[in-house]
Amino acid sequence: MIVTARKTSLTGIKPTGEPHLGNLIGAIEPAIEMAAGDYESLYFIADYHALTTARDPEQLAHWTRSVAATWLAAGLDPQRTVFYRQSDVPETFELSWVFSCITGKGLMNRAHAYKAARDANVAAGDDPDAGVNMGLYNYPILMAVDILIMEAHLVPVGRDQQQHVEIAADIAGSYNHLYGDRGYRFPVPEAVIPPETTGHTLPGLDGRKMSKSYDNYIPLFLAAPKLRKLVRRIPTDSTPVEDPKDPDSSAVFQILAQFAPDDVVADTRARLEAGGVGWGELKNQLADVLEERLAPMRERYEALMEPGSELDDALAQGGAIARERAARVLRSVRHAVGIS
Ligand code: TRP
């Protein structure tokens, strides 16, 4: 057995949509950077979490594969990071029951996603639980299992997931309090939230933050002509070509700034401020910059999406490692609670 003092970082990626430029800049690249650092890292595709809303089986299977392919194409190294599918670790569901039995219902009532659904129903004059399935209600427990069954210390997530990590910490505390003297204690996990100031957000096609929920995103793996067409749709003001322009108020420039090399960004800024560059020209430049950055990634993505590609090997290998860890933890828990 390898004894390591390194901290373990773990995060889950819910496969509920087409990966877009905002995901790459805001989540994928920072997480890959973190995995290259000093931590032991485990990243997984939370396909069973997606099932709380996904009702189209082919779509769910496609997104699960496509999100996994995206992370590998973006540079995640599966030799360095344990990369797996949640559904390849069925031990998850045994621990999920144990946690359900030591978690107060009141704690789940206060979870944001459930509370939001309930408040919306009440505001609309409907039954408070209309349209709420038990998967949505139990979502935080499943997430606590994901984190604790791998004995993670650090959980890099967006601010919207912070409460879920706190719930996982609460559940670890309850378990440790009840059973901690029976040979096994869970590490108490902590969320790692990227500071808002890192500039890792992208504006979308309507100038608001690029997001699936606003439907204003640029997908990562569009063919070049389609990519160009979408870039042309980014709104701009009517400043005449010859007038000086403020780069920082332009969504086109902000996207360019995240994808072009620093010297190109500085030069483009100077040219916009001097006047004489039209928005159309800037959009063409952005389309070129994106194509150059994304083309190699797209090629790799497409190869990984082929049936029987390296993707399958990587997930099988990661799944086996994850499962072994989970089985070890579950054995200790079963013994501790009196089921062996
Ligand atoms: N709920 C997370 C999201 O929607 C995905 C997720 C599932 C997760 N299990 C996790 C994130 C465990 C971190 C750790 O983004």
Side-chain angles (χ1 to χ4, degrees):
M1 197 176 89
I2 302 166
V3 177
T4 165
R6 277 197 309 167
K7 289 206 167 172
T8 298
S9 127
L10 168 141
T11 199
I13 307 131
K14 202 158 65 156
T16 44
E18 211 177 355
H20 58 69
L21 294 185
N23 299 139
L24 182 71
I25 295 297
I28 302 176
E29 287 186 339
I32 290 177
E33 241 166 73
M34 187 163 174
D38 248 356
Y39 303 104
E40 172 189 49
S41 52
L42 293 96
Y43 292 172
F44 69 95
I45 313 295
D47 45 0
Y48 268 122
H49 271 108
L51 195 59
T52 60
T53 53
R55 290 295 173 264
D56 178 337
E58 257 125 56
Q59 189 71 263
L60 176 57
H62 170 76
W63 278 337
T64 298
R65 196 169 172 82
S66 108
V67 168
T70 301
W71 280 69
L72 293 177
L76 184 84
D77 177 358
Q79 300 306 328
R80 217 182 157 120
T81 295
V82 182
F83 189 51
Y84 60 100
R85 272 186 312 221
Q86 181 184 40
S87 56
D88 283 334
V89 186
E91 287 74 9
T92 300
F93 296 94
E94 235 178 295
L95 186 58
S96 173
W97 180 256
V98 175
F99 283 175
S100 294
C101 295
I102 61 167
T103 301
K105 178 168 179 285
L107 187 65
M108 295 299 100
N109 289 342
R110 290 190 291 278
H112 293 321
Y114 171 65
K115 236 168 88 38
R118 218 179 140 87
D119 291 349
N121 281 334
V122 170
D126 289 335
D127 181 289
D129 282 325
V132 174
N133 63 56
M134 287 304 293
L136 171 67
Y137 191 69
N138 289 327
Y139 189 108
I141 295 190
L142 183 56
M143 185 158 156
V145 174
D146 294 334
I147 297 169
L148 300 179
I149 206 164
M150 298 300 161
E151 307 181 291
H153 305 97
L154 302 173
V155 186
V157 282
R159 191 160 295 286
D160 64 318
Q161 296 297 313
Q162 183 169 17
Q163 189 200 29
H164 288 151
V165 182
E166 287 163 5
I167 291 174
D170 277 354
I171 294 177
S174 305
Y175 177 92
N176 292 344
H177 175 71
L178 287 165
Y179 299 111
D181 60 354
R182 291 182 51 83
Y184 182 78
R185 296 178 73 82
F186 283 103
V188 178
E190 230 180 286
V192 182
I193 314 278
E196 306 284 348
T197 48
T198 48
H200 284 330
T201 55
L202 273 194
L205 293 173
D206 57 0
R208 290 187 291 173
K209 181 182 168 191
M210 190 179 289
S211 156
K212 182 168 85 79
S213 31
Y214 297 150
D215 200 16
N216 65 352
Y217 62 89
I218 302 180
L220 268 180
F221 301 122
L222 282 182
K226 283 202 171 147
L227 180 63
R228 195 164 291 271
K229 217 162 138 191
L230 266 194
V231 167
R232 285 217 198 91
R233 266 184 43 199
I234 304 173
T236 43
D237 61 25
S238 52
T239 320
V241 172
E242 60 279 5
D243 285 15
K245 299 178 184 60
D246 173 21
D248 296 311
S249 61
S250 154
V252 185
F253 180 80
Q254 284 167 37
I255 300 174
L256 183 100
Q258 296 282 345
F259 285 90
D262 289 349
D263 55 331
V264 174
V265 176
D267 174 68
T268 307
R269 172 182 287 282
R271 288 190 304 123
L272 283 168
E273 283 169 350
V277 177
W279 294 125
E281 186 184 336
L282 183 68
K283 286 179 178 180
N284 279 333
Q285 187 191 351
L286 174 60
D288 293 341
V289 162
L290 289 177
E291 178 57 19
E292 195 175 321
R293 261 292 287 283
L294 300 176
M297 212 188 281
R298 182 166 66 221
E299 207 171 299
R300 207 163 132 53
Y301 169 84
E302 276 161 10
L304 288 163
M305 287 300 281
E306 290 294 319
S309 73
E310 279 166 68
L311 175 74
D312 300 276
D313 300 336
L315 288 176
Q317 199 187 330
I321 298 172
R323 203 169 171 196
E324 215 175 282
R325 286 175 78 114
R328 178 170 47 74
V329 170
L330 186 64
R331 264 196 303 281
S332 305
V333 170
R334 286 177 60 131
H335 165 77
V337 302
I339 290 177
S340 38

